[in-house]
Amino acid sequence: MTKFADIQILHYKVPGFEALPLRTKLYIYHLSEAALWGRDILWDQNGRYNLRIRRLLERILPQTDNEDFHTYIRQVWFANGIHHHYSTDKFQPRFSEEWLRQYTDDDELVNVIMNPEVMPKRVCQSGEDLIQGSASNYYGEDVTQQEAEDFYNTLKAQAPNPDEPVAYGMNSRLEHKKGVLHENIYRLGGLYTQAIEHICEELSLAREYAENPQQQKVIDLLLEFYKSGDLETFDRYTIEWVKETEGFVDFVNGFTETYGDPLGLKASWEGYVNYRDKEATKRADLLSANAQWFEDHSPVDERFKKKECKGVSARVVNAAILGGDLYPSSAIGINLPNSNWVRAAHGSKSVTIGNLTAAYEEAAKGSGFREEFVIDAGTVAQIDRYSAVTDDLHTDLHECLGHGSGRLLPGVDADALGVYGATIEEARADLFGLYYIADKKMVELGLVPDAEAWKAQYYSYMMNGAMTQLVRIKRGCVIEEAHMRNRSLIAHWCLAQAEYWGRCFNMPPALELIKRDGKTYLRINDYITLRQYVGQLLAEIQRIKSEGDFTAAKTLVERYAVNVDADLHEEMLSRYEALHLSPYKGFVNPVYTPVTDAEGHITDITVSYDEEFDEQQLRYSKQYATL
Ligand code: ZN
């Protein structure tokens, strides 16, 4: 098992791949190759020196056994650049400048690597000029935030079809050319053409093995988009992609998420391929088929319920390959496309990636984490026994039903909750899931093994929200990310309720944080009452959303979701550090190898899992080097 800095590397399996028909294997294989060929695009998008630095580091690697250097190169590989994948802070190497200078006389690179003042942050969220403050490479070196905003505001104002706006700026670097701003487009013959040519070649090969004409249409439009860089073509491509729901295999390949651009315009390259997990998809279908029942029976006020409720066509998939911005660190649930008008008019596709969550669950079991933080052995055993089922089920409830439930009152603006909107929305979906995972309907539908299973989910969820997720927050910082805020909100609101009602009735609270031998634990005294709190909070959060009650959203989030108890935070970090566990995890891809006969025809694709992280990174750098 590979571990370094704050990272642990996991392997994921591709269940059932061997038994697939050759044609399907070939389809997956060529789509996977297309997903791997974009690697260098992301490296360059993440910072203008990244590719040069990677080549330098990989040249030094065989010449040294310096541990600090080895950690550094692995961090850089993992982050696809010299900034941390999550915090976006620049890595500070533990080796000295003098040591590095033994291997290179490139002053520019030495300065970028060693000097903490240079490019300290990949994505800068506050300051005078967000573009100038960010090391990401989406804008020319001398482009200012003001110039970029003016440029894109002008484009948006001139949009020929303002109701169906394209994602302006998504697929280009904005640069000065002879003093004039212009977009250097990512496309064949344009920026990154060397990588895009290979991507297109593999997509064309994959097209031969597509499962249905709609998949061919999707690939044709994607190829057309890579050729022209035209954003209307991109929207047409995503619309056809959303419609394609019959196939066993699906994929994402292209410029997708905008987290790497401080202005939220420019999209990083990512690629992945998935195939259906048939058993688990049945589970999601079962939930969707009962969507109206769940809506009708929820503890929410009748005025806020949907009269006609359709479950989202979520499906559970297995990842076959992860590439670009989904590798080595990956999301476990993906909902695309991102265009609001496309989603409103044509819907979206939502997946949870079952084989990745299985790999996480495998890593959590027996890591010592539960033994350290969970209150007693009985509860640990319960969580070990049920969580593989209940975690996935909670995710399904969240994705298939939670986000889709409820309605806004007429005239309420969908953006009324402003900066608190994302946290409230995630809380709504999580609470919907928590409320129903405890319902006897789950046993009736055969989705949980028995009527005790939900308690494991309640315990892990509340422990995470109240305490253990703090291990991902740096000392002295507050909670910023919307999902983390939502978990904190739910756990702390329930704790506050329990304390209040416990005091009123002079009874033990339904749940509480207790100290034992100087360590804090969550104790749940009354699961049934805790579920009632979950129902009450769901009703209130839905009211806030339906009415667009900004003040109430703000109060809840500011009171329960953001702040961190400094003592508890320190305790969590030190207990966690003592376990030597890694807060961040990522994956090594399986290796697919074509088997050929005497005439060179591919007769099979085999899969193996024995490649380790360093080996895979070095191979990718060699095999998929384009820029
Ligand atoms: Zn969500």
Side-chain angles (χ1 to χ4, degrees), residues 437-550:
I437 205 165
D439 202 283
K440 51 182 193 309
K441 188 85 175 170
M442 292 296 125
V443 185
E444 276 168 35
L445 291 173
L447 292 166
V448 288
D450 57 47
E452 289 293 297
W454 63 280
K455 293 179 183 170
Q457 186 65 17
Y458 269 51
Y459 193 91
S460 333
Y461 190 94
M462 296 294 164
M463 177 181 82
N464 185 38
M467 319 179 348
T468 47
Q469 70 166 351
L470 292 177
V471 304
R472 297 174 66 176
I473 304 288
K474 271 205 216 164
R475 285 181 172 82
C477 294
V478 298
I479 304 176
E480 292 181 49
E481 201 272 331
H483 295 82
M484 292 183 77
R485 281 188 169 184
N486 123 57
R487 293 179 207 125
S488 174
L489 191 166
I490 293 172
H492 287 109
W493 188 89
C494 289
L495 280 165
Q497 288 293 304
E499 197 199 336
Y500 175 79
W501 291 111
R503 232 180 321 113
C504 285
F505 294 114
N506 199 20
M507 297 233 304
L511 72 164
E512 61 187 326
L513 293 179
I514 60 144
K515 282 258 187 191
R516 197 173 64 199
D517 306 327
K519 290 178 174 180
T520 308
Y521 295 93
L522 172 76
R523 181 157 69 197
I524 300 186
N525 299 308
D526 182 350
Y527 280 91
I528 304 291
T529 303
L530 175 54
R531 193 209 177 194
Q532 286 170 5
Y533 296 157
V534 165
Q536 285 163 16
L537 185 57
L538 172 58
E540 172 62 2
I541 293 265
Q542 182 61 56
R543 182 198 67 76
I544 290 171
K545 172 102 182 178
S546 293
E547 294 180 352
D549 186 344
F550 179 85

Side-chain angles (χ1 to χ4, degrees), residues 123 138 167 170 256-268 338:
V123 188
Y138 295 108
M170 177 194 92
T256 310
E257 301 292 350
T258 56
Y259 306 112
D261 171 14
L263 302 189
L265 299 170
K266 313 228 159 254
S268 62
N338 285 327

